[in-house]
Amino acid sequence: MLYLVGLGLSDETDITVKGLEVVKRASRVYLEAYTSILLVNQEVLESYYGRSIMIADREMVESNSDEILRDADKEDVAFCVVGDPFGATTHTDLVLRARELKIPVSTVPNASIMSGIGACGLQLYNFGQTVSMVFFTDTWKPASFYDRIKENRSIGLHTLVLVDIKVKEQSLENMARGRLIYEPPRYMTVGQCASQMLEIEEEKQEGVYTKDSLAIGAARVGGKTEKFVSGTLEELCNQDEALGPPLHSLVLLGKRTHELEHDFAREFAVDKEKWDRIWKADYAQS
């Protein structure tokens, strides 16, 4: 059996009892380590699980999945994913490959950012499409997220923006020369995300959101040092110090924010009076 095991959002103790039983009995245990990270390192996981763990980077998962699936028709293999295996990041390709090889597959779900973000005070059923924000470069500034946010806001829904992480990435030069030299890990912050959003709005000028649009910055959701800061997009450009270390996410409020949502998120506000004023003018449900 191939088991896809969700590890939850924070540390070694977030794994479910069912997931831990799978990990302990599996012949091999892999940790998918390029779409997200836990707030503890590999050694802590190995100590708690009582098992050695093999890191599965992007290259292995996307190009060498046969190694992960080796003998999984005869023994149990655990493929561990931060959050939920089919939450913010899906591993459909791996499951389809297993099916082709007649390998049975079972999923052990867990909390992901898609559910954990409810701790910011916004009701999960008021969220629309989730979008991703990547690091911009001088020549590459993808803006597909903009139209998805526009669709969400047209019907009053909130938007969860997942921000980029770069783990075991090569520079273009090293990639072109075939050199296996990797860049240091980089984790996008709420401030960088908000700044890039405003940069695209400045270019498009469609008014999907503005510097005064209300948003919530989230950091280390589900962890012991979980932190939220709410305010305008302009204010959140300068709140990285308050939010602290990775991982970050951002939520852009929809236009039909309920009063209870407002009251909850207000406690995190940079400027509570400004938060109240903008909400009453632009967000309060009629």
Side-chain angles (χ1 to χ4, degrees):
M1 179 82 75
L2 171 68
Y3 286 92
L4 276 65
V5 180
L7 298 184
L9 287 167
S10 179
D11 59 32
E12 73 278 11
T13 65
D14 282 348
I15 192 170
T16 64
V17 173
K18 182 185 293 185
L20 185 58
E21 290 175 348
V22 168
V23 167
K24 285 183 175 295
R25 72 169 181 263
S27 297
R28 299 191 309 281
V29 181
Y30 294 92
L31 174 62
E32 188 264 77
Y34 65 91
T35 58
S36 190
I37 60 168
L38 285 177
L39 304 180
V40 294
N41 60 33
Q42 178 183 350
E43 290 73 21
V44 173
L45 295 182
E46 290 180 330
S47 176
Y48 189 79
Y49 299 161
R51 296 298 312 278
S52 62
I53 297 174
M54 289 172 279
I55 298 298
D57 59 17
R58 184 187 298 273
E59 182 179 358
M60 173 179 281
V61 177
E62 295 182 352
S63 304
N64 194 24
S65 61
D66 286 348
E67 172 57 26
I68 298 172
L69 298 175
R70 174 174 51 84
D71 295 329
D73 57 336
K74 307 180 189 72
E75 56 193 33
D76 291 338
V77 175
F79 182 77
C80 300
V81 181
V82 176
D84 183 271
F86 296 106
T89 300
T90 63
H91 291 283
T92 307
D93 288 346
L94 185 63
V95 173
L96 293 177
R97 177 63 178 147
R99 287 178 180 172
E100 289 175 2
L101 298 172
K102 308 302 182 184
I103 296 170
V105 179
S106 180
T107 303
V108 183
N110 207 323
S112 77
I113 189 62
M114 305 287 282
S115 57
I117 196 63
C120 76
L122 302 184
Q123 297 167 357
L124 292 177
Y125 50 77
N126 287 338
F127 278 76
Q129 303 167 86
T130 298
V131 303
S132 297
M133 176 69 72
V134 301
F135 283 109
F136 287 175
T137 69
D138 292 338
T139 58
W140 188 60
K141 299 180 180 180
S144 57
F145 68 88
Y146 189 85
D147 290 334
R148 303 289 80 76
I149 293 175
K150 183 177 182 179
E151 291 171 359
N152 287 345
R153 288 175 68 80
S154 70
I155 52 176
L157 299 179
H158 312 310
T159 302
L160 172 60
V161 185
L162 303 178
V163 302
D164 204 3
I165 70 171
K166 298 289 188 185
V167 179
K168 203 176 181 182
E169 297 279 341
Q170 293 175 275
S171 67
L172 292 177
E173 179 182 355
N174 287 329
M175 190 180 299
R177 294 178 180 273
R179 297 185 298 212
L180 295 179
I181 300 173
Y182 301 101
E183 301 293 293
R186 288 194 296 154
Y187 305 97
M188 183 180 286
T189 66
V190 162
Q192 290 170 315
C193 178
S195 295
Q196 290 187 180
M197 289 177 66
L198 291 176
E199 182 178 347
I200 295 302
E201 178 59 54
E202 182 67 22
E203 291 178 4
K204 290 186 173 287
Q205 294 287 314
E206 295 182 25
V208 171
Y209 49 80
T210 71
K211 64 182 180 63
D212 290 325
S213 293
L214 296 183
I216 303 172
R220 302 170 304 285
V221 173
K224 296 175 183 176
T225 61
E226 178 181 81
K227 178 75 173 181
F228 298 104
V229 176
S230 58
T232 65
L233 277 178
E234 184 176 50
E235 288 174 329
L236 291 184
C237 288
N238 302 302
Q239 294 302 312
D240 286 348
E241 184 175 349
L243 284 164
L247 293 169
H248 287 194
S249 302
L250 183 144
V251 180
L252 192 66
L253 269 66
K255 286 290 188 177
R256 292 186 298 154
T257 304
H258 191 276
E259 185 175 354
L260 292 176
E261 295 176 294
H262 158 268
D263 291 347
F264 197 116
R266 182 183 187 273
E267 292 304 306
F268 312 130
V270 176
D271 182 335
K272 289 183 172 59
E273 291 185 0
K274 186 175 185 180
W275 176 270
D276 290 341
R277 185 171 65 253
I278 293 175
W279 179 77
K280 288 177 181 177
D282 298 331
Y283 291 81
Q285 298 183 42
S286 57

